[in-house]
Amino acid sequence: MKLMKSDDTKIFALGGLGEVGKNMYCVMTGDEIIITDAGMLMPEDELMGVDYVIPDFSFLKKNEDKVKALFITHGHEDHIGGIPFLLQSVNIPIIYAPNHAVGLIRKKLEDRNILYKNLVVYDETTKVKFKTMEVEFFRTTHSIPDSHGICITTPNGIVVTTGDFKFDLTPIGPAANIHKMAEIGSRGVTLLLSDSTNALTEGVSKSESKVDDALSEIFRRENGRIIIATFASNVYRLKHIVDNCRRNGRKIAIFGRSMENNIEISVKGGYITNKGIFITPEEANKLDPSKVCLLCTGSQGEPLAALSRIADGVHKQIKLQPNDIVIFSSSAIPGNAASIARTINKLYLKGVKVYTNTSLNDIHASGHASEEELKWMIRLINPTYFAPFHGEYRMLKKHADIGVVCGIPKENNFVLSNGEVLSMYKGKIKKEGFIQADDVYVDGNRIGDVSNAVIKDRKLMANDGIIIVVANIDTKEKKLLGNPNITTRGFVLVNENEELLKNLENVSKKAINSMLDRPINYTEIKSEIINELSNYTYQKTGRKPIILPVIMDIKR
């Protein structure tokens, strides 16, 4: 990264720009770096075999001695999911997080056997001072408890990051601290980084209290067993469900590990107080259906989640009953609509009643601000410069346009990409270069070992299959011993394509023999086999399988 001034302040994202997830933002002044959030991104189907996508920590590793602290805005996976991997790569002196997020982080680190002691709980009254920067917090409303925005005061200006937020005037939990936002705005904020997730949604977001009313009506009206799928991290929604079950004389059985973890942490943290309402699946099966609620994961149609297995009829503990009521108290994450629809269709085929979020059933409310609320945040903070964050490019662009409408000059709005650097010096900001901010793939316990080349090979194998050619060669006599053995997986059905496989054998044999009249070179022989078979298979099938030659040197 090319430096403009040694005493300027640099702001950049290692993740979260041009995507919904993997949030990680850094503010650097002199020899101090402050990090906000360390999230991960669930991979798309095209990233075959990849478990998580996390930010590239290379810059932080190279500047490890400058890292002073990691600050967490709230406990969603796209803001804390990368912490275990970050701690394995970079020395983080201390992590500050709100109470609920601390519980989730501790559980996450325990699951991976990572010992980390410097995890500190902050609240709105907390102030953290470093040599060149000071950090303080303001409460926001989101779909998870203890969500906060962060204000960072530097020698070159004030930077405010909202975290994920909405404005809900009738929330289930504490209201956002609008007064503190306005007070921070009155100081003269230089740069605002604001959540763009719902920038394309007009108006204002639905209040969580409306969801409570809608769920209450369903609980009063229905007498069958109620099965609810929702986001496990939406603690206020879980609290609704618990309260409704208590009022209507129902007990709750929990299905799905993430749901169990969040309920456990919420009970310990005091967010859910009716601990006695939870029962085991075995106890639920013995009760009258009108006295039971099943709370499960799978609101996004995930194939292995509890609701999907129930819909498929393969869940070991729960079988659907004719009078069951299934409630999807969630919205579709982009890319999941098809899998959700498949699950809903399976449920309808089983004859159960299904409720989804529609204009007639307000059973889900987003935790992110819509257009009018985004305007409100801009007006409250009143920044000189504005950089939308947390969103796909179209969301960032729309949010920047909203900034212009709210009086921020167009040249003071920055639509950035991961790694792009803003330089702030004495209240003035300009773009200045890039740092490395690639995607890093986590595959099992291996971090970063899966490259784009590996993903490309996996796609080829998934789409076109693989052909393995095993050939025995007497290198002394320069002679092929017998015919090459052809094995395929995912290419063609062997029993129905014997002639094709025989031809593959002949092509391989010809390719090998053509190379035996010269000095033996295994690499050249393998290349010849690959070239000849690739051309042949494409001509005959239109497919390009991966071809793996294995040459055995036989001594006789």
Side-chain angles (χ1 to χ4, degrees), residues 170-210:
T170 54
I172 300 302
N177 193 339
I178 297 170
H179 302 290
K180 187 165 186 179
M181 295 178 199
E183 187 277 322
I184 291 172
S186 68
R187 302 177 198 173
V189 173
T190 310
L191 175 67
L192 171 64
L193 306 171
S194 185
D195 173 19
S196 305
T197 310
N198 274 358
L200 299 171
T201 304
E202 296 180 349
V204 298
S205 59
K206 190 187 305 176
S207 172
E208 191 67 23
S209 62
K210 285 188 174 292

mmCIF file of all heavy atoms in Angstrom, residues 170-210:
data_model
loop_
_atom_site.group_PDB
_atom_site.id
_atom_site.type_symbol
_atom_site.label_atom_id
_atom_site.label_comp_id
_atom_site.label_asym_id
_atom_site.label_seq_id
_atom_site.Cartn_x
_atom_site.Cartn_y
_atom_site.Cartn_z
ATOM 1 N N THR A 170 -41.122 0.512 18.405
ATOM 2 C CA THR A 170 -41.805 -0.381 19.352
ATOM 3 C C THR A 170 -41.080 -1.728 19.362
ATOM 4 O O THR A 170 -41.658 -2.760 19.032
ATOM 5 C CB THR A 170 -43.286 -0.572 18.973
ATOM 6 O OG1 THR A 170 -43.376 -1.027 17.605
ATOM 7 C CG2 THR A 170 -44.058 0.714 19.121
ATOM 8 N N PRO A 171 -39.813 -1.723 19.744
ATOM 9 C CA PRO A 171 -39.031 -2.967 19.704
ATOM 10 C C PRO A 171 -39.399 -3.890 20.861
ATOM 11 O O PRO A 171 -40.029 -3.477 21.832
ATOM 12 C CB PRO A 171 -37.599 -2.467 19.836
ATOM 13 C CG PRO A 171 -37.722 -1.237 20.684
ATOM 14 C CD PRO A 171 -39.023 -0.598 20.267
ATOM 15 N N ILE A 172 -39.005 -5.131 20.754
ATOM 16 C CA ILE A 172 -39.187 -6.075 21.860
ATOM 17 C C ILE A 172 -38.125 -5.836 22.922
ATOM 18 O O ILE A 172 -38.396 -5.860 24.114
ATOM 19 C CB ILE A 172 -39.117 -7.526 21.356
ATOM 20 C CG1 ILE A 172 -40.216 -7.760 20.308
ATOM 21 C CG2 ILE A 172 -39.260 -8.515 22.497
ATOM 22 C CD1 ILE A 172 -41.622 -7.487 20.807
ATOM 23 N N GLY A 173 -36.893 -5.590 22.507
ATOM 24 C CA GLY A 173 -35.811 -5.285 23.436
ATOM 25 C C GLY A 173 -35.648 -3.789 23.609
ATOM 26 O O GLY A 173 -36.544 -2.993 23.279
ATOM 27 N N PRO A 174 -34.495 -3.353 24.116
ATOM 28 C CA PRO A 174 -34.235 -1.923 24.324
ATOM 29 C C PRO A 174 -34.259 -1.143 23.007
ATOM 30 O O PRO A 174 -33.886 -1.667 21.959
ATOM 31 C CB PRO A 174 -32.827 -1.900 24.932
ATOM 32 C CG PRO A 174 -32.619 -3.280 25.479
ATOM 33 C CD PRO A 174 -33.378 -4.204 24.581
ATOM 34 N N ALA A 175 -34.709 0.088 23.079
ATOM 35 C CA ALA A 175 -34.746 0.944 21.888
ATOM 36 C C ALA A 175 -33.349 1.466 21.572
ATOM 37 O O ALA A 175 -32.475 1.532 22.441
ATOM 38 C CB ALA A 175 -35.704 2.107 22.118
ATOM 39 N N ALA A 176 -33.141 1.820 20.320
ATOM 40 C CA ALA A 176 -31.876 2.427 19.908
ATOM 41 C C ALA A 176 -31.691 3.755 20.629
ATOM 42 O O ALA A 176 -32.661 4.473 20.915
ATOM 43 C CB ALA A 176 -31.858 2.628 18.394
ATOM 44 N N ASN A 177 -30.447 4.085 20.929
ATOM 45 C CA ASN A 177 -30.151 5.334 21.635
ATOM 46 C C ASN A 177 -29.996 6.469 20.615
ATOM 47 O O ASN A 177 -28.891 6.846 20.230
ATOM 48 C CB ASN A 177 -28.899 5.189 22.480
ATOM 49 C CG ASN A 177 -28.738 6.339 23.471
ATOM 50 O OD1 ASN A 177 -29.307 7.410 23.281
ATOM 51 N ND2 ASN A 177 -27.977 6.104 24.514
ATOM 52 N N ILE A 178 -31.139 6.972 20.187
ATOM 53 C CA ILE A 178 -31.153 8.027 19.168
ATOM 54 C C ILE A 178 -30.487 9.297 19.681
ATOM 55 O O ILE A 178 -29.815 10.024 18.941
ATOM 56 C CB ILE A 178 -32.603 8.307 18.730
ATOM 57 C CG1 ILE A 178 -33.192 7.040 18.083
ATOM 58 C CG2 ILE A 178 -32.671 9.463 17.742
ATOM 59 C CD1 ILE A 178 -34.676 7.116 17.820
ATOM 60 N N HIS A 179 -30.647 9.552 20.983
ATOM 61 C CA HIS A 179 -30.074 10.771 21.566
ATOM 62 C C HIS A 179 -28.543 10.751 21.488
ATOM 63 O O HIS A 179 -27.917 11.769 21.170
ATOM 64 C CB HIS A 179 -30.527 10.914 23.017
ATOM 65 C CG HIS A 179 -32.016 10.952 23.178
ATOM 66 N ND1 HIS A 179 -32.780 12.019 22.754
ATOM 67 C CD2 HIS A 179 -32.880 10.046 23.688
ATOM 68 C CE1 HIS A 179 -34.060 11.782 23.004
ATOM 69 N NE2 HIS A 179 -34.148 10.593 23.567
ATOM 70 N N LYS A 180 -27.943 9.580 21.762
ATOM 71 C CA LYS A 180 -26.484 9.518 21.697
ATOM 72 C C LYS A 180 -26.003 9.624 20.253
ATOM 73 O O LYS A 180 -24.968 10.238 19.981
ATOM 74 C CB LYS A 180 -25.976 8.220 22.330
ATOM 75 C CG LYS A 180 -24.452 8.195 22.450
ATOM 76 C CD LYS A 180 -23.950 7.114 23.379
ATOM 77 C CE LYS A 180 -22.444 7.222 23.573
ATOM 78 N NZ LYS A 180 -21.918 6.196 24.489
ATOM 79 N N MET A 181 -26.763 9.042 19.312
ATOM 80 C CA MET A 181 -26.405 9.187 17.903
ATOM 81 C C MET A 181 -26.379 10.666 17.514
ATOM 82 O O MET A 181 -25.442 11.131 16.847
ATOM 83 C CB MET A 181 -27.400 8.443 17.022
ATOM 84 C CG MET A 181 -27.420 6.933 17.199
ATOM 85 S SD MET A 181 -28.677 6.189 16.126
ATOM 86 C CE MET A 181 -28.901 4.592 16.917
ATOM 87 N N ALA A 182 -27.401 11.383 17.929
ATOM 88 C CA ALA A 182 -27.478 12.811 17.601
ATOM 89 C C ALA A 182 -26.343 13.579 18.264
ATOM 90 O O ALA A 182 -25.761 14.504 17.669
ATOM 91 C CB ALA A 182 -28.830 13.368 18.031
ATOM 92 N N GLU A 183 -26.003 13.200 19.506
ATOM 93 C CA GLU A 183 -24.921 13.888 20.221
ATOM 94 C C GLU A 183 -23.591 13.662 19.513
ATOM 95 O O GLU A 183 -22.791 14.593 19.340
ATOM 96 C CB GLU A 183 -24.872 13.366 21.660
ATOM 97 C CG GLU A 183 -23.898 14.121 22.569
ATOM 98 C CD GLU A 183 -22.470 13.643 22.446
ATOM 99 O OE1 GLU A 183 -22.262 12.413 22.306
ATOM 100 O OE2 GLU A 183 -21.548 14.496 22.451
ATOM 101 N N ILE A 184 -23.350 12.419 19.065
ATOM 102 C CA ILE A 184 -22.122 12.136 18.309
ATOM 103 C C ILE A 184 -22.113 12.930 17.009
ATOM 104 O O ILE A 184 -21.096 13.503 16.611
ATOM 105 C CB ILE A 184 -21.999 10.618 18.040
ATOM 106 C CG1 ILE A 184 -21.728 9.861 19.339
ATOM 107 C CG2 ILE A 184 -20.903 10.334 17.004
ATOM 108 C CD1 ILE A 184 -21.773 8.347 19.211
ATOM 109 N N GLY A 185 -23.274 12.986 16.353
ATOM 110 C CA GLY A 185 -23.381 13.755 15.115
ATOM 111 C C GLY A 185 -23.077 15.233 15.313
ATOM 112 O O GLY A 185 -22.531 15.891 14.407
ATOM 113 N N SER A 186 -23.401 15.757 16.486
ATOM 114 C CA SER A 186 -23.169 17.189 16.750
ATOM 115 C C SER A 186 -21.688 17.514 16.909
ATOM 116 O O SER A 186 -21.299 18.684 16.862
ATOM 117 C CB SER A 186 -23.927 17.610 18.014
ATOM 118 O OG SER A 186 -23.366 17.012 19.171
ATOM 119 N N ARG A 187 -20.853 16.482 17.108
ATOM 120 C CA ARG A 187 -19.418 16.732 17.287
ATOM 121 C C ARG A 187 -18.718 17.041 15.964
ATOM 122 O O ARG A 187 -17.611 17.565 15.953
ATOM 123 C CB ARG A 187 -18.740 15.513 17.919
ATOM 124 C CG ARG A 187 -19.306 15.095 19.261
ATOM 125 C CD ARG A 187 -18.603 13.834 19.745
ATOM 126 N NE ARG A 187 -19.341 13.139 20.783
ATOM 127 C CZ ARG A 187 -19.012 11.946 21.270
ATOM 128 N NH1 ARG A 187 -17.943 11.316 20.789
ATOM 129 N NH2 ARG A 187 -19.735 11.369 22.204
ATOM 130 N N GLY A 188 -19.369 16.664 14.856
ATOM 131 C CA GLY A 188 -18.746 16.845 13.551
ATOM 132 C C GLY A 188 -18.084 15.576 13.069
ATOM 133 O O GLY A 188 -16.855 15.436 13.104
ATOM 134 N N VAL A 189 -18.884 14.616 12.636
ATOM 135 C CA VAL A 189 -18.377 13.324 12.164
ATOM 136 C C VAL A 189 -17.786 13.483 10.759
ATOM 137 O O VAL A 189 -18.415 14.067 9.879
ATOM 138 C CB VAL A 189 -19.504 12.268 12.157
ATOM 139 C CG1 VAL A 189 -19.032 10.972 11.494
ATOM 140 C CG2 VAL A 189 -19.989 11.995 13.579
ATOM 141 N N THR A 190 -16.603 12.969 10.570
ATOM 142 C CA THR A 190 -15.940 13.065 9.261
ATOM 143 C C THR A 190 -16.458 12.001 8.296
ATOM 144 O O THR A 190 -16.796 12.294 7.152
ATOM 145 C CB THR A 190 -14.416 12.923 9.414
ATOM 146 O OG1 THR A 190 -13.958 13.809 10.434
ATOM 147 C CG2 THR A 190 -13.721 13.251 8.098
ATOM 148 N N LEU A 191 -16.540 10.738 8.767
ATOM 149 C CA LEU A 191 -16.910 9.633 7.877
ATOM 150 C C LEU A 191 -17.926 8.725 8.556
ATOM 151 O O LEU A 191 -17.739 8.321 9.701
ATOM 152 C CB LEU A 191 -15.672 8.813 7.499
ATOM 153 C CG LEU A 191 -15.905 7.558 6.660
ATOM 154 C CD1 LEU A 191 -16.411 7.922 5.270
ATOM 155 C CD2 LEU A 191 -14.633 6.714 6.560
ATOM 156 N N LEU A 192 -18.996 8.401 7.821
ATOM 157 C CA LEU A 192 -19.989 7.435 8.275
ATOM 158 C C LEU A 192 -19.924 6.185 7.406
ATOM 159 O O LEU A 192 -19.968 6.263 6.179
ATOM 160 C CB LEU A 192 -21.398 8.035 8.200
ATOM 161 C CG LEU A 192 -22.563 7.060 8.446
ATOM 162 C CD1 LEU A 192 -22.520 6.508 9.862
ATOM 163 C CD2 LEU A 192 -23.906 7.737 8.162
ATOM 164 N N LEU A 193 -19.810 5.026 8.051
ATOM 165 C CA LEU A 193 -19.938 3.731 7.384
ATOM 166 C C LEU A 193 -21.269 3.142 7.842
ATOM 167 O O LEU A 193 -21.467 2.900 9.033
ATOM 168 C CB LEU A 193 -18.792 2.794 7.784
ATOM 169 C CG LEU A 193 -17.362 3.323 7.592
ATOM 170 C CD1 LEU A 193 -16.358 2.377 8.223
ATOM 171 C CD2 LEU A 193 -17.059 3.502 6.121
ATOM 172 N N SER A 194 -22.199 2.919 6.905
ATOM 173 C CA SER A 194 -23.557 2.546 7.301
ATOM 174 C C SER A 194 -24.053 1.301 6.572
ATOM 175 O O SER A 194 -23.779 1.100 5.389
ATOM 176 C CB SER A 194 -24.514 3.716 7.030
ATOM 177 O OG SER A 194 -25.815 3.445 7.509
ATOM 178 N N ASP A 195 -24.786 0.465 7.293
ATOM 179 C CA ASP A 195 -25.364 -0.802 6.827
ATOM 180 C C ASP A 195 -26.240 -0.590 5.595
ATOM 181 O O ASP A 195 -27.190 0.187 5.622
ATOM 182 C CB ASP A 195 -26.176 -1.399 7.987
ATOM 183 C CG ASP A 195 -26.968 -2.628 7.616
ATOM 184 O OD1 ASP A 195 -26.656 -3.261 6.593
ATOM 185 O OD2 ASP A 195 -27.887 -2.975 8.381
ATOM 186 N N SER A 196 -25.938 -1.325 4.511
ATOM 187 C CA SER A 196 -26.644 -1.140 3.236
ATOM 188 C C SER A 196 -27.551 -2.306 2.855
ATOM 189 O O SER A 196 -28.107 -2.320 1.754
ATOM 190 C CB SER A 196 -25.615 -0.933 2.109
ATOM 191 O OG SER A 196 -24.734 0.115 2.386
ATOM 192 N N THR A 197 -27.727 -3.278 3.736
ATOM 193 C CA THR A 197 -28.411 -4.525 3.378
ATOM 194 C C THR A 197 -29.777 -4.298 2.745
ATOM 195 O O THR A 197 -30.141 -4.945 1.760
ATOM 196 C CB THR A 197 -28.559 -5.422 4.622
ATOM 197 O OG1 THR A 197 -27.290 -5.535 5.261
ATOM 198 C CG2 THR A 197 -29.080 -6.792 4.243
ATOM 199 N N ASN A 198 -30.560 -3.392 3.323
ATOM 200 C CA ASN A 198 -31.919 -3.145 2.816
ATOM 201 C C ASN A 198 -32.046 -1.800 2.110
ATOM 202 O O ASN A 198 -33.128 -1.208 2.072
ATOM 203 C CB ASN A 198 -32.938 -3.219 3.955
ATOM 204 C CG ASN A 198 -33.411 -4.635 4.221
ATOM 205 O OD1 ASN A 198 -33.011 -5.560 3.530
ATOM 206 N ND2 ASN A 198 -34.249 -4.815 5.229
ATOM 207 N N ALA A 199 -30.959 -1.321 1.527
ATOM 208 C CA ALA A 199 -30.995 -0.015 0.851
ATOM 209 C C ALA A 199 -31.954 -0.013 -0.333
ATOM 210 O O ALA A 199 -32.472 1.042 -0.724
ATOM 211 C CB ALA A 199 -29.593 0.369 0.381
ATOM 212 N N LEU A 200 -32.226 -1.177 -0.911
ATOM 213 C CA LEU A 200 -33.117 -1.262 -2.068
ATOM 214 C C LEU A 200 -34.586 -1.365 -1.669
ATOM 215 O O LEU A 200 -35.466 -1.392 -2.526
ATOM 216 C CB LEU A 200 -32.744 -2.476 -2.925
ATOM 217 C CG LEU A 200 -31.330 -2.467 -3.511
ATOM 218 C CD1 LEU A 200 -31.006 -3.799 -4.155
ATOM 219 C CD2 LEU A 200 -31.172 -1.337 -4.516
ATOM 220 N N THR A 201 -34.861 -1.403 -0.359
ATOM 221 C CA THR A 201 -36.231 -1.537 0.135
ATOM 222 C C THR A 201 -36.776 -0.170 0.519
ATOM 223 O O THR A 201 -36.203 0.515 1.370
ATOM 224 C CB THR A 201 -36.286 -2.474 1.365
ATOM 225 O OG1 THR A 201 -35.704 -3.731 1.013
ATOM 226 C CG2 THR A 201 -37.718 -2.687 1.820
ATOM 227 N N GLU A 202 -37.867 0.219 -0.098
ATOM 228 C CA GLU A 202 -38.446 1.534 0.175
ATOM 229 C C GLU A 202 -39.163 1.541 1.522
ATOM 230 O O GLU A 202 -39.519 0.506 2.078
ATOM 231 C CB GLU A 202 -39.430 1.924 -0.932
ATOM 232 C CG GLU A 202 -38.779 2.105 -2.300
ATOM 233 C CD GLU A 202 -39.791 2.499 -3.362
ATOM 234 O OE1 GLU A 202 -41.012 2.420 -3.073
ATOM 235 O OE2 GLU A 202 -39.371 2.873 -4.467
ATOM 236 N N GLY A 203 -39.390 2.772 2.029
ATOM 237 C CA GLY A 203 -40.174 2.943 3.248
ATOM 238 C C GLY A 203 -39.386 2.622 4.497
ATOM 239 O O GLY A 203 -38.173 2.862 4.570
ATOM 240 N N VAL A 204 -40.077 2.075 5.503
ATOM 241 C CA VAL A 204 -39.456 1.716 6.765
ATOM 242 C C VAL A 204 -39.668 0.230 7.023
ATOM 243 O O VAL A 204 -40.609 -0.379 6.509
ATOM 244 C CB VAL A 204 -40.030 2.538 7.941
ATOM 245 C CG1 VAL A 204 -39.756 4.017 7.749
ATOM 246 C CG2 VAL A 204 -41.531 2.308 8.091
ATOM 247 N N SER A 205 -38.796 -0.352 7.802
ATOM 248 C CA SER A 205 -38.909 -1.778 8.103
ATOM 249 C C SER A 205 -40.039 -2.028 9.096
ATOM 250 O O SER A 205 -40.419 -1.154 9.880
ATOM 251 C CB SER A 205 -37.589 -2.314 8.665
ATOM 252 O OG SER A 205 -37.231 -1.609 9.837
ATOM 253 N N LYS A 206 -40.564 -3.219 9.060
ATOM 254 C CA LYS A 206 -41.667 -3.621 9.930
ATOM 255 C C LYS A 206 -41.176 -3.725 11.371
ATOM 256 O O LYS A 206 -40.054 -4.152 11.640
ATOM 257 C CB LYS A 206 -42.192 -4.969 9.458
ATOM 258 C CG LYS A 206 -43.483 -5.441 10.091
ATOM 259 C CD LYS A 206 -43.780 -6.859 9.642
ATOM 260 C CE LYS A 206 -43.803 -6.966 8.125
ATOM 261 N NZ LYS A 206 -43.993 -8.361 7.661
ATOM 262 N N SER A 207 -42.010 -3.329 12.316
ATOM 263 C CA SER A 207 -41.656 -3.433 13.723
ATOM 264 C C SER A 207 -41.732 -4.883 14.181
ATOM 265 O O SER A 207 -42.613 -5.644 13.770
ATOM 266 C CB SER A 207 -42.590 -2.579 14.582
ATOM 267 O OG SER A 207 -42.372 -2.826 15.956
ATOM 268 N N GLU A 208 -40.820 -5.252 15.060
ATOM 269 C CA GLU A 208 -40.824 -6.606 15.606
ATOM 270 C C GLU A 208 -42.095 -6.874 16.413
ATOM 271 O O GLU A 208 -42.536 -8.016 16.533
ATOM 272 C CB GLU A 208 -39.588 -6.806 16.486
ATOM 273 C CG GLU A 208 -39.321 -8.230 16.899
ATOM 274 C CD GLU A 208 -38.924 -9.147 15.758
ATOM 275 O OE1 GLU A 208 -38.433 -8.649 14.721
ATOM 276 O OE2 GLU A 208 -39.107 -10.369 15.897
ATOM 277 N N SER A 209 -42.710 -5.830 16.953
ATOM 278 C CA SER A 209 -43.948 -6.022 17.723
ATOM 279 C C SER A 209 -45.087 -6.517 16.839
ATOM 280 O O SER A 209 -45.989 -7.223 17.298
ATOM 281 C CB SER A 209 -44.348 -4.717 18.425
ATOM 282 O OG SER A 209 -44.606 -3.700 17.483
ATOM 283 N N LYS A 210 -45.074 -6.150 15.544
ATOM 284 C CA LYS A 210 -46.106 -6.658 14.626
ATOM 285 C C LYS A 210 -45.964 -8.164 14.430
ATOM 286 O O LYS A 210 -46.949 -8.884 14.277
ATOM 287 C CB LYS A 210 -46.014 -5.934 13.275
ATOM 288 C CG LYS A 210 -46.561 -4.516 13.283
ATOM 289 C CD LYS A 210 -46.615 -3.949 11.880
ATOM 290 C CE LYS A 210 -47.299 -2.583 11.880
ATOM 291 N NZ LYS A 210 -48.722 -2.689 12.200
#
